[in-house]
Amino acid sequence: MMALTMIAISVLAAPNILSSREYHRAVQSFEYLESVKTAQDRFRQIHGRYAGDLSLLDIDRPEPTFFAVGDVVIGPSGSSDYSWSLTLTRYGDASLYGRYTVTFNERGFDTARSTAKPDLIPTTNYR
């Protein structure tokens, strides 16, 4: 009976553990992208435009472990003076969430272009 109870608890707890683990991985992507945004803002103050390449930025965080970092995309005008965006894509299949993306631009978190489910989005500073 005790073994069945332990199995039942494990089965019920597994989704919460997986969800919590994925949330912390998603937070890592938001922190990295916030660092990119800050570095882009500094770059624009110095050079009068946004950087079209991450190697030009002084990003103070390492790339997130579970995400592929895309290329900086210069805004619709084609000019780095006005806008940029960067998308991180979750490697593989994120258990309950599948593959998802997190995108930032010059204004911060881009909800329209991100596919991360709401429960993976940190409530502090990003909504």
Side-chain angles (χ1 to χ4, degrees), residues 39-126:
Q40 281 281 32
D41 291 344
R42 279 193 303 265
F43 189 90
R44 186 168 190 224
Q45 286 179 348
I46 295 167
H47 301 283
R49 63 181 174 81
Y50 291 114
D53 190 317
L54 291 176
S55 67
L56 300 173
L57 300 175
D58 58 337
I59 302 166
D60 64 359
R61 290 198 177 271
E63 289 185 2
T65 308
F66 298 95
F67 293 82
V69 178
D71 294 326
V72 175
V73 176
I74 297 304
S77 67
S79 171
S80 57
D81 295 351
Y82 304 107
S83 64
W84 63 273
S85 67
L86 178 64
T87 299
L88 302 185
T89 303
R90 177 69 163 87
Y91 285 126
D93 188 15
S95 58
L96 304 172
Y97 297 95
R99 290 183 64 156
Y100 61 90
T101 61
V102 179
T103 301
F104 264 52
N105 59 35
E106 70 284 351
R107 292 178 304 277
F109 177 51
D110 187 342
T111 57
R113 293 191 177 153
S114 298
T115 62
K117 297 202 181 326
D119 59 330
L120 293 178
I121 300 169
T123 56
T124 309
N125 301 324
Y126 303 111

